[in-house]
Amino acid sequence: MRKHTAAIEFDTILARLGDHCLCEKAKEKALALAPSMNETELRARLAETTAARRIIEALGTPPLSPTSETRKTLTLCEAGAMLTPGQLAGITRFVRTCNRMKSYLQRAEITETAVAALGRSLHPLKDLYEEIDGAIRGDTVDDQASPELRAIRRKMESARDAVKSSLESMLRGKREWFSESFIVTRGGRFALPVKREHKQQVQGTVVDISNSGSTVFIEPTRARKLSDALMELAIREDNEIRRILYTLTALAEACHKELLLNVECMEALDFAFAKAKLSLAMKAGAPDITAERRITIVQGRHPMLDPDACVPLDFTLGEGIHGVVITGPNTGGKTVALKTLGLLSLMAQSGLHVPAGAGSRFAMNASVLCDIGDGQSIAENLSTFSSHMTNIIKILREAAGESLVLLDELGSGTDPAEGMGLAVAILDELRRTGCLFAATSHYPEIKEYAAQTQGLQNARMAFDRESLAPLYRLELGEAGESCALYIAQRLGLPAHMLARAREAAYHGALASTSPAEARAPARRVVIRQAPEKPSPRRCDRFQVGDSVRVHPRKETGIVYRRADEKGMVGVQVKKQKLLVNHKRIQLLVAADALYPDDYDFSILFDTVANRKARHKLSKGHNPDVMIQYEKGGDPLGTH
């Protein structure tokens, strides 16, 4: 399931949740968060998120603390190691934060939430805190840690002063013997910087020589006894410090259980408040969870989009509608709508708040399966279509009644007719499983299939025809259109190219024009049918240029000749001209919605030779010019 959740950016949401965590364990828990099928557990998760958010809104940011260093310190205690002053100071900082958190949650008990009650689980550890705090300052053992240590350090200070006083007296008496006018230390010993030529004048032990050899560092004999006494005191100091550290370590080890409980409690609080912080950052709210197979999203927003610029999504599934087919123009927001549906479902089922309005309700899905993105792979030699089909086949094997399936650009990447057929077969199979599903598509046949199939519903992404801008608003119950030809027309594509595009798109006329025709300037011959007397006949409703469907084969064609006296209508189907009884014809798109008023239909229905002949005849009679008709007569009804 992880692969599918990554496709709808659930991993990104978990990463954002982890960024709100201070504790490493809480972050690990955030990144491993998964949807739950246990309704009791799920409601408890959501209640925790809601409670933590209420506390933050009432009291501000909680005083949390990282726990990784404290965990390491407790592990060292168990192993019998002596803790360093820095590690002990870390314990006091952690205990101090725990006590601040305890006080914070005591004030939050007015919310009467389980999160606030967690404060009672935090141990104050007052004695441990006072012992360590009284002995450790920063990363060192303080003089006040014990009377013995205080006495030793006073003696050390006196001995150090005596040594310095003796050596400074020598420096002042014989300045010419020394290269510098100050005392130095070498190897823990106090020494004087004696010029090489005067080293015989200073009695003592050479402890070091400068790099150039011009200076000899000598510990004078008169200072040696004082230095030895100082070294002895340093050893006594070290022993006393170690004794104090071992004592404090033993105290910490005695409180190991309470400290570990505090660590675990702090990590639980960190995770709960991280969910609350994420909720606040997304301007989210608590969703309702239902065991029924239905989803209702009210004013839902994709968490990755700017909430001020994002167009909210209203969406419903269930209550007799198991699948929704979303259509509309490219860049219109179809994929975002799919991702929003899947992502909000996963978030709600994981105990997270979702950026959606009151009344939003989510089903508990055993799996969320999706095919989004082209998935093309050079390494695996997969085309876009192969990748889609490989993924969809796996999805169909896994899908069950409690699954939510999301399919983007269903049937794309291959021959349109076969792609449409595969799309219908896939939707049929999903209906058979009883799962909830949503799919996006461009195929007009899919829109009709969804409109006529029980349990399916069309939806479209709204499009502003004036500004040519997608509105990113999902409208349920309506089928969308790609608007490609309309957009091309508004942007200035020449009329003859639009006509050719319509012919190829709606009537299957894919034979290309000759290079000469392509280069020739557009010459329009407007040939209109002679006016007919108004007639109440039903067959007269079909006009030249209408896009129609011919039954029973359900083939799409275009009317090239109005009905005759017997009600037979001329229809061009796949470049073949047929006379069809008007009762077998269903109007799809009227001609006035497809073509301008002065459109030259000879482009669609006549041969190139006949069009040239008509052009010559329009200039006058020519006995050498002939126009040949197929069965059915003049396709334009003009000669």
Side-chain angles (χ1 to χ4, degrees), residues 296-300 311-316 357 360 473-476:
T296 302
I297 299 177
V298 179
Q299 296 288 286
V311 177
L313 172 71
D314 290 315
F315 187 89
T316 58
S360 296
R473 184 180 66 249
L474 183 69
E475 297 176 342
L476 290 170

Side-chain angles (χ1 to χ4, degrees), residues 4-258:
H4 296 281
T5 59
I8 52 179
E9 300 178 276
F10 184 57
D11 289 353
T12 305
I13 292 295
L14 297 186
R16 288 182 63 179
L17 176 62
D19 289 340
H20 288 291
C21 296
L22 288 177
C23 304
E24 198 60 37
K25 289 287 184 181
K27 182 171 290 190
E28 290 173 6
K29 186 176 181 180
L31 296 177
L33 187 63
S36 172
M37 282 294 288
N38 184 315
E39 187 174 358
T40 302
E41 176 192 358
L42 180 51
R43 292 190 182 280
R45 286 188 190 181
L46 283 169
E48 179 182 73
T49 307
T50 301
R53 174 164 173 168
R54 285 175 60 193
I55 292 172
I56 290 179
E57 288 175 328
L59 302 176
T61 304
L64 293 161
S65 169
T67 58
S68 56
E69 290 302 318
T70 306
R71 278 188 173 275
K72 291 177 184 177
T73 300
L74 293 178
T75 301
L76 290 173
C77 280
E78 281 188 307
M82 181 189 75
L83 299 182
T84 66
Q87 290 164 341
L88 289 165
I91 288 180
T92 60
R93 287 193 296 270
F94 176 68
V95 172
R96 188 186 305 119
T97 304
C98 287
N99 290 332
R100 289 177 59 207
M101 176 61 80
K102 189 175 184 70
S103 175
Y104 175 88
L105 293 177
Q106 283 175 345
R107 289 184 288 130
E109 287 186 357
I110 57 172
T111 62
E112 297 181 352
T113 63
V115 174
L118 276 175
R120 300 170 193 166
S121 302
L122 289 167
H123 295 273
L125 298 171
K126 180 179 178 182
D127 292 341
L128 176 63
Y129 176 83
E130 289 178 350
E131 286 291 336
I132 297 177
D133 189 58
I136 304 296
R137 286 291 178 271
D139 290 340
T140 61
V141 178
D142 190 74
D143 293 353
Q144 306 302 316
S146 74
E148 178 68 15
L149 181 61
R150 184 166 61 250
I152 290 171
R153 285 182 173 170
R154 283 178 179 174
K155 290 177 182 179
M156 289 178 69
E157 189 65 29
S158 297
R160 195 176 290 111
D161 288 343
V163 173
K164 288 182 178 179
S165 178
S166 175
L167 296 182
E168 286 173 354
S169 177
M170 292 182 66
L171 277 172
R172 288 193 299 269
K174 300 290 184 179
R175 290 184 181 275
E176 68 275 10
W177 291 357
F178 307 105
S179 59
E180 301 291 346
S181 60
F182 51 81
I183 302 168
V184 298
T185 57
R186 289 293 187 271
R189 294 280 183 174
F190 291 100
L192 295 175
V194 182
K195 295 178 181 178
R196 187 176 186 84
E197 60 269 23
H198 294 291
K199 73 174 183 176
Q200 299 302 326
Q201 277 77 31
V202 180
Q203 293 183 0
T205 304
V206 176
V207 296
D208 200 2
I209 300 174
S210 67
N211 291 334
S212 64
S214 61
T215 301
V216 179
F217 299 98
I218 298 175
E219 181 185 29
T221 302
R222 60 191 289 187
R224 181 144 189 110
K225 289 184 179 181
L226 291 172
S227 293
D228 288 343
L230 187 59
M231 294 292 287
E232 183 181 343
L233 287 170
I235 293 171
R236 288 176 59 190
E237 178 196 35
D238 184 64
N239 289 338
E240 180 62 13
I241 288 173
R242 292 173 67 83
R243 185 193 69 78
I244 293 168
L245 292 177
Y246 270 119
T247 301
L248 296 176
T249 299
L251 288 174
E253 187 176 0
C255 298
H256 181 278
K257 181 179 178 181
E258 292 81 0

Side-chain angles (χ1 to χ4, degrees), residues 273-523:
F273 284 117
K275 293 191 294 179
K277 292 172 187 175
L278 181 65
S279 173
L280 288 165
M282 295 190 305
K283 300 180 181 178
D288 189 15
I289 295 296
T290 177
E292 301 173 9
R293 298 303 295 153
R294 59 184 177 133
I295 297 173
T296 302
I297 299 177
V298 179
Q299 296 288 286
R301 293 176 284 103
H302 193 287
M304 298 296 131
L305 299 179
D306 180 357
D308 296 325
C310 176
V311 177
L313 172 71
D314 290 315
F315 187 89
T316 58
L317 259 181
E319 298 181 345
I321 300 297
H322 290 280
V324 171
V325 176
I326 306 173
T327 51
N330 287 329
T331 72
K334 299 191 300 298
T335 302
V336 172
L338 275 191
K339 288 187 174 183
T340 303
L341 168 60
L343 184 53
L344 298 195
S345 295
L346 287 172
M347 289 173 64
Q349 201 173 335
S350 300
L352 300 176
H353 284 180
V354 299
S360 296
R361 177 172 292 184
F362 294 88
M364 297 177 64
N365 301 301
S367 58
V368 176
L369 310 171
C370 59
D371 177 57
I372 297 176
D374 63 24
Q376 191 170 12
S377 171
I378 296 176
E380 297 180 16
N381 195 26
L382 286 178
S383 66
T384 298
F385 175 73
S386 298
S387 173
H388 275 301
M389 286 311 303
T390 300
N391 200 20
I392 288 172
I393 290 169
K394 292 179 182 178
I395 288 172
L396 293 175
R397 288 172 181 166
E398 295 179 36
E402 293 187 327
S403 298
L404 172 62
V405 178
L406 309 172
L407 304 176
D408 194 24
E409 297 297 347
L410 187 59
S412 64
T414 186
D415 175 78
E418 295 185 356
M420 181 275 295
L422 284 169
V424 170
I426 292 165
L427 293 175
D428 268 343
E429 183 64 16
L430 291 175
R431 287 178 58 238
R432 188 188 65 78
T433 65
C435 67
L436 298 178
F437 62 92
T440 69
S441 176
H442 278 299
Y443 293 122
E445 294 86 354
I446 299 299
K447 305 171 195 176
E448 185 175 344
Y449 166 80
Q452 297 175 358
T453 303
Q454 185 176 3
L456 294 188
Q457 183 180 37
N458 272 311
R460 71 183 179 192
M461 302 306 298
F463 181 80
D464 189 337
R465 285 178 167 266
E466 293 302 317
S467 64
L468 303 183
L471 299 178
Y472 304 105
R473 184 180 66 249
L474 183 69
E475 297 176 342
L476 290 170
E478 301 290 340
E481 53 186 334
S482 69
C483 298
L485 295 181
Y486 179 80
I487 293 172
Q489 181 182 17
R490 286 291 305 274
L491 294 177
L493 190 71
H496 71 282
M497 294 180 66
L498 281 169
R500 180 62 177 147
R502 287 191 183 96
E503 179 183 10
Y506 293 107
H507 315 302
L510 300 180
S512 61
T513 56
S514 67
E517 287 180 285
R519 290 193 300 268
R523 289 181 290 177

